[in-house]
Amino acid sequence: LAELGVDDPEQLAKIAAIRCAVACFQNELAQAEAYADLALRDLPAGDANYRSATYHALGDTYRRNGHWEAARECYRKALEYTDQLAYPIRIGQSAHIHGALADLELTQGRLSAAATYWRRALAATRDEENWGRLPLPLVGWFYIRTAELLYERSRLSACAEHLSLGLERAELGGDVRTRICGYLLAARLALTEGDADRASADLERARLLLEGAAFAELQARFQRVQVDLWR
């Protein structure tokens, strides 16, 4: 950073934090780590904005590259600053991080821990302070991911309730990814309940949305549900 002609350590630390975020976006992990080290070394201890953003971005990049423990540690450090952030950044970041931590727990088969993180994210939607202020797709995503965990734990009635609430908000908000996940889960739930016709209809809804979307993971999930339907 010497080439910038800036000699204020705090300003250089903020520039390093921004460059860390750019490197994370480009999935350049080694550069991101180097910039993060510079930023976190010289940022003031009370700088919640830049510190939380650096840990958050680095956590996403570690998770993308399969470094689960490092990702988990970064997310937990980012959460230490969440309460100091301005609304609505506070809510959005907290929700994303809790969701990411839930996904990390799922990769290791820890359903209870994952459910705890999604409950914390979902609790934000029930806080009167946030009513009408959270994006509908985000609220729908909370409900549907919670419904997925309820399904895995064979709590089908609660799963159906959360799924219905999630799809309602996802459809109103027009969020494609959330709707696809919702319809795929609806198809699985219908199959579990022995209703092949309803499962086929939900799967078709997911297929139509997938035609114009580039979600490789969801394509694979669709194929698995399709095979289950054909059996």
Side-chain angles (χ1 to χ4, degrees):
L1 299 176
E3 75 277 6
L4 296 175
V6 179
D7 57 9
D8 181 348
E10 183 176 340
Q11 292 303 314
L12 286 171
K14 290 181 178 180
I15 293 169
I18 293 169
R19 289 191 170 182
C20 172
V22 172
C24 287
F25 179 78
Q26 297 172 338
N27 201 32
E28 296 174 350
L29 181 55
Q31 282 191 4
E33 289 176 320
Y35 284 127
D37 286 343
L38 290 172
L40 296 169
R41 183 190 68 194
D42 293 327
L43 282 170
D47 192 330
N49 288 320
Y50 280 91
R51 284 186 171 275
S52 64
T54 299
Y55 281 124
H56 189 174
L58 200 55
D60 284 346
T61 306
Y62 278 134
R63 182 162 66 109
R64 192 179 307 125
N65 288 276
H67 302 304
W68 296 339
E69 290 305 321
R72 184 179 285 107
E73 182 64 21
C74 282
Y75 285 139
R76 287 173 176 166
K77 287 180 178 177
L79 283 175
E80 293 176 6
Y81 299 95
T82 300
D83 289 343
Q84 303 172 48
L85 301 177
Y87 186 96
I89 296 173
R90 177 180 75 249
I91 298 301
Q93 180 163 302
S94 176
H96 179 277
I97 292 174
H98 279 112
L101 284 167
D103 285 341
L104 285 172
E105 298 297 342
L106 282 175
T107 61
Q108 296 178 285
R110 300 169 181 166
L111 296 184
S112 294
T116 296
Y117 282 122
W118 277 118
R119 278 197 300 271
R120 291 174 184 171
L122 194 56
T125 71
R126 296 168 177 160
D127 187 334
E128 290 188 23
E129 177 188 359
N130 300 324
W131 287 357
R133 302 176 70 180
L134 290 173
L136 283 173
L138 184 62
V139 177
W141 184 245
F142 293 166
Y143 274 108
I144 286 173
R145 292 311 304 273
T146 303
E148 289 174 347
L149 289 171
L150 290 167
Y151 177 87
E152 295 298 335
R153 300 172 79 178
S154 299
R155 296 179 56 190
L156 301 186
S157 178
C159 170
E161 179 183 351
H162 282 73
L163 175 60
S164 177
L165 291 168
L167 275 174
E168 178 184 5
R169 287 155 177 78
E171 288 165 354
L172 287 171
D175 184 67
V176 173
R177 183 168 181 249
T178 303
R179 290 166 68 198
I180 293 170
C181 287
Y183 291 137
L184 289 176
L185 178 58
R188 294 173 68 197
L189 184 60
L191 282 174
T192 300
E193 295 172 344
D195 191 338
D197 290 338
R198 194 175 92 230
S200 181
D202 287 325
L203 199 59
E204 178 63 11
R205 292 187 181 97
R207 186 191 67 78
L208 291 173
L209 290 171
L210 279 166
E211 284 183 348
F215 299 123
E217 177 189 348
L218 296 184
Q219 287 281 1
R221 194 184 301 184
F222 171 86
Q223 291 168 4
R224 289 195 296 271
V225 180
Q226 179 76 82
V227 170
D228 289 340
L229 180 61
W230 286 340
R231 286 176 181 171

